[in-house]
Amino acid sequence: MKKSVKIEPLESLESEEKENRSNKIILLSVICILIMELCERLTYYSITANLVLFAKNRLKYDNSISSYIVQIFSGMSYVMPIVGGYISDSISGKFNTIYGSGLIYLCGTFLLPASAVDYRKWFGLTSDGLILDLDLTSRRIYFILALSLIAIGTGGIKANVAPFGAQQIDSLGPKMVQRFFNWFYWFINVGALIAYSCVALVQQNISFEIGYLIPFLSMLFAMVALVSGRNIYRHSYPAGSALLQSAKIIWEGFKRHKLVKNQARSEGKKTSSFDGAKKENGGSFDAVTVEGVLSSLKVLPVFIAILFYWVILSQMSSTYFLQGTVMDISINGAPMPVAVLNVFNVVIILILIPILDFVYRYLQKIGKNPTPLQRIGFGLVLTALSVAVAGIVEIFRVKELRAHGGVVQCLANKPYNASHISIFAQIPQFALIGSSEVFTSVTGLEFAYSQAPETLKGLVMGIFLLTTGLGNFLSTAVIAIVDALTKKDPWLNNDDINSGHLEYLFFLLCGLMTVAFFLFLFVSKIMKFDSEDKLKQKLARQDMEFTADENKITEI
């Protein structure tokens, strides 16, 4: 008996081969972007890992000023994405903006080691006996200039690299986009892991000269990774500033709202806030564009509600770090970098993301996947617990120090009087805040991307990153207010942190985070959001209705 052989049509085979090749190109383009992001984050976290220590020991700033520098630098790095998003949308496109920002970033990483180098080792003395070295003021100028360029560069990259990566894989559907954001965050934290475990050790125990040269080299490699995929990327080109267009729609909508509302009321119709900007109501914009802006604006209350989350997150590189400098950093006599505790924040992220990626896919199959807002809310709870644990650790640290005396340890050539309690007592607070990032920060990126139409994704992602910067500035303001109100008995003593009350500051932040959580619950309850698929269907339906209306007008 002969077996029947199914002959596939030639067109079908060619189509399948083309699809496989297309998927391989998509995968390759995503890998280039992920490697670039890994190296860029390695650069960034290598710079921030011991920034407080460098500012205190090498540049002679006090505790408060050192904390301000870290938070203002971090804040500017997250405010600049708004500018980067504007340039991308209206002038150069995503790829060119990322590339240009990377070059600026590279200049900053070149200047940073210049502020750390001991030039006496290189040049010695002149024939007249003069010391060839930078004075403190010159070093500070190089330092501030370097951080400014790095903030501009990283801001331009941040606004565009995540949506640029998602753009490569967008054709494969929203589930693949969600997986991309999970793995995008995973690669970010691989870079952070290397920075906190290796580069921080070089900076603290060898020198900042070499320790700040490494970020320059990693940023150079990031640029190579980006450019290597240039010819296979799916590019988008500038189509005008989404920010300016959105501003015009909002202005025209408010200006004409009363007129349109009265007209609709006489006809027995309902109106939304920006209906006055629609062409069908005498405005200047089509209904799809107006509804896209309205949908994007709906996420702003959520972003505002989680603003204080970023205040707590910024403590890892400021007050958590300062707490670590006065705890025992040695293991069997071998000193560990203070920034090593960030490794536990990173490790928990690297472990949780793949696990949750599997869990979410399983929950999707059985129809019980938690909503983005539920995931974000759970992350806020973990954040409040983290800062509460930090306060408890501080109580026991100070109690032990006063009962048994301290141990003198040297950090970057400066002595610190530390408690005998190991720095690894900070693991729970770092692990909790790392877990919160998986739920709040990762999901926040996904939520921002899903709630905006294609033309506004860059803008909404930029606004989401802006809240991170505002959170850092708010953190600076909170510490400044605390300093001003506690001058007689300072909570954050600039000369000796052991004589302050850091635990009071941690418990204050815990209380404020709790209030922010209940604000988030309130906002989540009253706001209604569509999934990305439903949003696309809604906008497509309105586009069809608008086209039909135009055809009727043409016929008349």
Coordinates of all heavy atoms in Angstrom, one line a residue, residues 37-39 41-46 49 185-201 337 339-351:
E37 N 22.0 47.7 26.1 CA 21.4 48.1 27.4 C 22.2 47.6 28.6 O 22.4 48.3 29.6 CB 20.0 47.8 27.4 CG 19.2 48.2 28.7 CD 19.1 49.7 28.8 OE1 19.5 50.4 27.9 OE2 18.7 50.2 29.9
L38 N 22.6 46.3 28.5 CA 23.4 45.7 29.6 C 24.7 46.5 29.8 O 25.0 46.9 31.0 CB 23.8 44.3 29.2 CG 24.5 43.4 30.2 CD1 24.2 41.9 30.0 CD2 26.0 43.6 30.2
C39 N 25.4 46.9 28.7 CA 26.7 47.6 28.9 C 26.4 49.0 29.3 O 27.2 49.6 30.1 CB 27.4 47.6 27.5 SG 28.0 46.0 27.0
R41 N 23.9 50.1 31.2 CA 23.6 50.0 32.7 C 24.8 49.6 33.5 O 24.9 50.1 34.6 CB 22.5 49.0 32.9 CG 21.1 49.4 32.3 CD 20.5 50.6 33.1 NE 20.9 51.9 32.7 CZ 20.7 53.0 33.3 NH1 20.0 53.0 34.4 NH2 21.1 54.2 32.8
L42 N 25.7 48.8 33.0 CA 26.9 48.5 33.7 C 27.7 49.8 33.9 O 28.3 50.0 35.0 CB 27.8 47.5 32.9 CG 29.2 47.3 33.3 CD1 29.3 46.8 34.7 CD2 29.9 46.3 32.3
T43 N 27.7 50.6 32.9 CA 28.4 51.9 33.0 C 27.8 52.8 34.0 O 28.4 53.3 34.9 CB 28.3 52.7 31.6 OG1 29.0 51.9 30.6 CG2 29.0 54.0 31.7
Y44 N 26.4 52.9 34.0 CA 25.7 53.8 34.9 C 25.9 53.4 36.3 O 26.2 54.2 37.2 CB 24.2 53.9 34.5 CG 23.4 54.8 35.3 CD1 23.3 56.1 35.1 CD2 22.6 54.3 36.4 CE1 22.6 57.0 35.9 CE2 21.9 55.1 37.2 CZ 21.8 56.5 36.9 OH 21.1 57.3 37.7
Y45 N 25.6 52.1 36.6 CA 25.7 51.6 38.0 C 27.2 51.6 38.5 O 27.4 51.7 39.7 CB 25.0 50.3 38.1 CG 23.5 50.3 38.0 CD1 22.9 49.7 36.9 CD2 22.8 51.1 38.8 CE1 21.5 49.7 36.8 CE2 21.4 51.2 38.7 CZ 20.8 50.5 37.7 OH 19.4 50.6 37.6
S46 N 28.1 51.5 37.6 CA 29.5 51.6 38.0 C 29.9 53.0 38.5 O 30.7 53.2 39.4 CB 30.5 51.2 36.9 OG 30.3 49.8 36.5
A49 N 27.6 53.4 41.9 CA 27.9 52.4 43.0 C 28.6 53.1 44.2 O 28.1 52.9 45.4 CB 28.7 51.3 42.5
Y185 N 14.5 44.2 31.5 CA 14.9 44.5 32.9 C 15.9 43.5 33.4 O 16.8 43.9 34.2 CB 13.6 44.5 33.7 CG 13.7 45.6 34.8 CD1 13.5 46.9 34.6 CD2 14.0 45.2 36.1 CE1 13.5 47.8 35.6 CE2 14.0 46.1 37.2 CZ 13.8 47.4 36.9 OH 13.9 48.4 37.9
W186 N 15.8 42.3 33.0 CA 16.8 41.3 33.4 C 18.2 41.6 32.9 O 19.1 41.6 33.7 CB 16.4 39.9 32.8 CG 17.1 38.7 33.4 CD1 16.7 38.0 34.5 CD2 18.3 38.1 32.9 NE1 17.6 37.0 34.8 CE2 18.6 37.0 33.8 CE3 19.1 38.3 31.8 CZ2 19.7 36.2 33.6 CZ3 20.2 37.5 31.6 CH2 20.5 36.5 32.5
F187 N 18.3 42.1 31.7 CA 19.7 42.5 31.2 C 20.2 43.7 31.9 O 21.4 43.8 32.1 CB 19.6 42.7 29.7 CG 19.8 41.5 28.9 CD1 18.8 40.5 28.7 CD2 21.1 41.2 28.3 CE1 19.0 39.4 27.9 CE2 21.3 40.1 27.5 CZ 20.3 39.2 27.4
I188 N 19.3 44.6 32.2 CA 19.7 45.8 33.0 C 20.3 45.4 34.3 O 21.4 45.9 34.7 CB 18.4 46.7 33.3 CG1 18.0 47.5 32.1 CG2 18.7 47.7 34.5 CD1 16.7 48.2 32.3
N189 N 19.8 44.4 34.9 CA 20.3 44.0 36.2 C 21.5 43.1 36.2 O 22.2 43.0 37.1 CB 19.1 43.3 37.0 CG 18.2 44.4 37.6 OD1 18.5 45.0 38.6 ND2 17.1 44.6 36.9
V190 N 21.7 42.4 35.0 CA 23.0 41.8 34.8 C 24.1 42.8 34.8 O 25.2 42.6 35.5 CB 23.0 40.9 33.5 CG1 24.5 40.5 33.2 CG2 22.1 39.8 33.6
G191 N 23.9 43.9 34.1 CA 24.9 45.0 34.2 C 25.1 45.6 35.6 O 26.2 45.8 36.0
A192 N 24.0 45.7 36.3 CA 24.1 46.2 37.7 C 24.9 45.2 38.6 O 25.7 45.6 39.4 CB 22.7 46.4 38.2
L193 N 24.6 43.9 38.4 CA 25.3 42.9 39.1 C 26.8 43.0 39.0 O 27.6 42.9 40.0 CB 24.8 41.5 38.7 CG 25.5 40.3 39.4 CD1 25.1 40.3 40.9 CD2 25.0 39.0 38.8
I194 N 27.3 43.1 37.7 CA 28.7 43.2 37.5 C 29.3 44.5 38.1 O 30.4 44.5 38.7 CB 29.0 43.2 36.0 CG1 28.5 41.9 35.3 CG2 30.5 43.4 35.7 CD1 28.5 41.9 33.8
A195 N 28.5 45.6 38.0 CA 29.0 46.9 38.6 C 29.1 46.8 40.1 O 30.2 47.3 40.6 CB 28.0 48.0 38.2
Y196 N 28.1 46.3 40.8 CA 28.1 46.3 42.2 C 29.1 45.2 42.8 O 29.6 45.4 43.9 CB 26.7 46.1 42.8 CG 25.8 47.3 42.5 CD1 24.5 47.1 41.9 CD2 26.2 48.6 42.9 CE1 23.7 48.1 41.7 CE2 25.3 49.6 42.6 CZ 24.1 49.4 42.1 OH 23.3 50.5 41.9
S197 N 29.3 44.1 42.1 CA 30.1 43.1 42.7 C 31.6 43.2 42.3 O 32.5 42.8 43.1 CB 29.6 41.7 42.2 OG 29.6 41.6 40.8
C198 N 31.9 43.7 41.1 CA 33.3 43.8 40.6 C 33.8 45.2 40.5 O 34.9 45.5 41.1 CB 33.4 43.1 39.2 SG 32.8 41.4 39.2
V199 N 33.1 46.1 39.8 CA 33.7 47.4 39.6 C 33.7 48.2 40.9 O 34.7 48.9 41.2 CB 32.8 48.2 38.6 CG1 33.4 49.6 38.3 CG2 32.7 47.4 37.3
A200 N 32.7 48.0 41.8 CA 32.7 48.7 43.1 C 33.9 48.2 44.0 O 34.4 49.0 44.7 CB 31.4 48.4 43.8
L201 N 34.2 47.0 43.9 CA 35.4 46.4 44.6 C 36.7 47.1 44.2 O 37.5 47.5 45.0 CB 35.4 44.9 44.4 CG 36.5 44.2 45.3 CD1 36.1 44.2 46.7 CD2 36.6 42.7 44.8
P337 N 33.2 45.6 49.2 CA 32.7 46.9 48.9 C 31.3 47.2 49.6 O 30.5 46.3 49.6 CB 32.6 46.9 47.4 CG 32.5 45.5 47.0 CD 33.2 44.7 48.0
A339 N 29.0 48.8 48.4 CA 27.9 48.7 47.3 C 27.6 47.2 47.0 O 26.7 47.0 46.3 CB 28.4 49.4 46.1
V340 N 28.3 46.3 47.7 CA 28.0 44.9 47.4 C 26.6 44.5 47.8 O 26.0 43.5 47.2 CB 29.0 43.9 48.1 CG1 28.7 43.9 49.6 CG2 29.0 42.6 47.5
L341 N 25.9 45.2 48.7 CA 24.6 44.9 49.1 C 23.6 45.1 47.9 O 22.5 44.4 47.9 CB 24.2 45.7 50.3 CG 24.4 45.0 51.7 CD1 23.5 43.8 51.8 CD2 25.8 44.6 51.9
N342 N 23.9 45.9 47.0 CA 23.1 46.1 45.8 C 23.0 44.8 45.0 O 22.1 44.6 44.2 CB 23.6 47.2 44.9 CG 23.3 48.6 45.5 OD1 22.2 49.1 45.4 ND2 24.3 49.2 46.2
V343 N 24.0 43.9 45.2 CA 24.0 42.7 44.5 C 22.8 41.8 44.9 O 22.2 41.2 44.0 CB 25.3 41.9 44.8 CG1 25.2 40.4 44.3 CG2 26.5 42.6 44.2
F344 N 22.4 41.9 46.1 CA 21.3 41.1 46.6 C 20.0 41.7 46.0 O 19.0 40.9 45.7 CB 21.2 41.1 48.1 CG 22.3 40.3 48.7 CD1 23.5 41.0 49.1 CD2 22.3 38.9 48.8 CE1 24.6 40.3 49.6 CE2 23.4 38.2 49.3 CZ 24.5 38.9 49.7
N345 N 19.9 43.0 45.8 CA 18.8 43.6 45.1 C 18.8 43.1 43.7 O 17.7 42.7 43.2 CB 19.0 45.2 45.1 CG 18.1 45.9 44.1 OD1 16.9 45.9 44.3 ND2 18.7 46.5 43.1
V346 N 19.9 43.0 43.0 CA 20.0 42.6 41.6 C 19.7 41.1 41.5 O 18.9 40.7 40.6 CB 21.4 42.9 41.1 CG1 21.6 42.3 39.7 CG2 21.6 44.4 41.0
V347 N 20.3 40.3 42.4 CA 20.1 38.8 42.3 C 18.6 38.4 42.5 O 18.2 37.6 41.7 CB 21.0 38.1 43.4 CG1 20.5 36.7 43.6 CG2 22.4 38.2 43.0
I348 N 17.9 39.1 43.4 CA 16.5 38.7 43.6 C 15.7 39.1 42.3 O 14.8 38.4 41.9 CB 15.9 39.4 44.8 CG1 14.6 38.8 45.2 CG2 15.7 40.9 44.6 CD1 14.8 37.4 45.9
I349 N 16.1 40.2 41.6 CA 15.5 40.5 40.3 C 15.8 39.5 39.3 O 14.9 39.0 38.5 CB 16.0 41.9 39.9 CG1 15.4 43.0 40.8 CG2 15.5 42.2 38.5 CD1 16.0 44.4 40.6
L350 N 17.1 39.1 39.2 CA 17.5 38.1 38.1 C 16.8 36.8 38.4 O 16.5 36.0 37.4 CB 19.0 37.9 38.2 CG 19.8 39.2 37.8 CD1 21.3 38.8 37.9 CD2 19.5 39.6 36.4
I351 N 16.5 36.4 39.6 CA 15.8 35.2 39.9 C 14.3 35.3 39.7 O 13.7 34.4 39.1 CB 16.1 34.7 41.4 CG1 17.6 34.4 41.6 CG2 15.2 33.6 41.8 CD1 18.0 34.1 43.0

